Amino acid sequence: MEKIKDALAKAKIENVGNKINTRPAQQETVTQQTVKGFPNTENELGQITYLNTPIIKLDNAHLEKNRIVAHTKSDLNSYSFDSLRTQILQKMEENNWRTIAVVSPTPQSGKTLISINLAISIAHQPQKTAILVDLDLRRPKVATYLGIHTEKSMNDYLQDKAPLKDIMINPGIDRLVIVPTMKPVSKSAEILSSKKITGLITELRARYESRIVIFDCPPVLNSDDAMVLLPQVDCILLVIANGMSTQSEIEETLHHLPKANLLGVVLNKAEVESKAYYY
Ligand SMILES: Nc1ncnc2c1ncn2[C@@H]1O[C@H](COP(=O)(O)OP(=O)(O)OP(=O)(O)O)[C@@H](O)[C@H]1O
Ligand SMILES: [Mg+2]
């Protein structure tokens, strides 16, 4: 943990301190939901009304196994994500930011897990809609973690086989929309800089102020993918996992990131005395 602190201090990053350590949720509150179809209308608050009803079920045991805890209102871990959400939303509102890229220096730092839990937590706010988009085109995992399988996904959108509205799904949680990527995509850096993705990001951002769009991204240092994406989003949430990146990897990442757009740093897999998260 010291090397993380040193790297952040060197880069003069002050907005630090969200520490996360997950354990499987103890209680189940997401029950099987009847999903009322992909979102196709929005009211003035940007809240999505679902029509035409394909059914998607979230399996509680699967969510727990994958450390998705934010839906479990009474769980301490869920409270921690709510706290992270509150800090994030405050800073986003101050800056009129609506799109977030979740990145890390190196793989396996917890980006996908944090993106999902954060999106669920944001969706719990009655005045917000959260859209979670899987833009880790090399290693898409959002659908796997949520346990959802869809016929149409980002893969079809990228091949002009489906419009955006047909690849958005609701996982049975109000005000939460998922745009899954079901299969790895080749030439991902080229695709992420293409008009197709630029247009998607612009379209998702443009419509309503109450929308928060979270992009689960690839690691910064393993390919060009994240670097291509970062200039296209409003702000960046950096996830650094204890033991997963060296100090020089953290420093190199911080060097690449535009500091003015850095929303914050989450210290993941932090050692904590109790099993709860703390901030
Ligand atoms: N705080 C945590 N405590 C324990 N395990 C965690 C924590 N955060 C993530 N993990 C586990 O670490 C692994 C990697 O998490 P995740 O897939 O979210 O990382 P990632 O940064 O998205 O990885 P990739 O770079 O491969 O996309 C998963 O098995 C996840 O359950
Ligand atoms: Mg991931």
Side-chain angles (χ1 to χ4, degrees):
M1 195 55 74
E2 282 311 306
K3 70 180 177 188
I4 300 178
K5 286 184 191 153
D6 286 352
L8 294 167
K10 224 169 171 179
K12 298 195 173 63
I13 303 291
E14 289 167 5
N15 189 18
V16 183
N18 299 303
K19 293 187 185 177
I20 287 181
N21 188 14
T22 54
R23 62 192 160 91
Q26 299 299 307
Q27 298 175 33
E28 298 180 9
T29 55
V30 166
T31 49
Q32 199 167 296
Q33 307 262 347
T34 301
V35 177
K36 294 152 252 158
F38 62 74
N40 52 5
T41 65
E42 293 185 85
N43 66 20
E44 282 162 13
L45 279 173
Q47 291 174 358
I48 294 171
T49 307
Y50 303 95
L51 303 172
N52 300 331
T53 66
I55 295 171
I56 293 174
K57 296 172 183 174
L58 287 184
D59 177 63
N60 288 325
H62 182 89
L63 293 179
E64 285 186 27
K65 203 173 85 197
N66 286 282
R67 301 175 190 274
I68 313 296
V69 297
H71 61 289
T72 315
K73 266 284 170 212
S74 54
D75 190 279
L76 192 55
N77 294 331
S78 151
Y79 171 78
S80 299
F81 278 105
D82 288 351
S83 169
L84 178 64
R85 167 201 67 197
T86 302
Q87 294 173 60
I88 284 176
L89 289 181
Q90 201 172 3
K91 192 159 180 198
M92 290 185 79
E93 267 158 37
E94 279 166 18
N95 290 282
N96 192 27
W97 288 337
R98 299 206 287 277
T99 54
I100 318 172
V102 180
V103 298
S104 63
T106 50
Q108 295 289 293
S109 302
K111 297 178 294 299
T112 303
L113 193 72
I114 287 169
S115 299
I116 295 173
N117 280 305
L118 183 62
I120 294 172
S121 179
I122 289 173
H124 283 156
Q125 298 266 88
Q127 69 278 27
K128 293 285 178 204
T129 296
I131 302 187
L132 172 60
V133 184
D134 195 342
L135 280 187
D136 189 344
L137 299 184
R138 287 169 190 253
R139 290 169 54 90
K141 280 284 186 313
V142 170
T144 309
Y145 282 16
L146 286 171
I148 51 180
H149 186 83
T150 57
E151 269 182 35
K152 297 280 178 205
S153 72
M154 179 70 80
N155 303 89
D156 301 279
Y157 175 80
L158 293 173
Q159 293 172 24
D160 291 326
K161 290 183 184 162
L164 177 59
K165 71 177 177 55
D166 286 2
I167 62 166
M168 293 172 129
I169 61 146
N170 175 283
I173 295 171
D174 284 346
R175 297 179 300 279
L176 178 61
V177 174
I178 308 288
V179 179
T181 301
M182 298 306 297
K183 289 181 291 191
V185 175
S186 57
K187 298 197 176 151
S188 47
E190 285 93 326
I191 287 173
L192 290 168
S193 57
S194 69
K195 276 192 191 151
K196 198 85 193 171
I197 291 289
T198 311
L200 173 102
I201 294 174
T202 309
E203 187 179 342
L204 286 172
R205 186 190 192 284
R207 297 190 65 181
Y208 294 96
E209 282 184 21
S210 59
R211 260 187 193 186
I212 301 292
V213 189
I214 299 169
F215 298 105
D216 182 25
C217 295
V220 171
L221 299 180
N222 291 65
S223 67
D224 293 339
D225 293 18
M227 295 311 295
V228 167
L229 270 173
L230 294 184
Q232 305 184 53
V233 297
D234 294 339
C235 61
I236 299 157
L237 185 66
L238 177 62
V239 177
I240 301 179
N242 194 27
M244 301 306 291
S245 307
T246 64
Q247 182 164 344
S248 64
E249 285 167 338
I250 297 168
E251 285 172 13
E252 194 185 340
T253 302
L254 291 168
H255 177 73
H256 284 305
L257 300 185
K259 258 197 228 165
N261 300 16
L262 188 57
L263 183 58
V265 180
V266 175
L267 305 181
N268 195 22
K269 306 187 184 183
E271 314 96 342
V272 282
E273 305 222 343
S274 79
K275 283 189 167 177
Y277 307 127
Y278 63 93
Y279 295 97

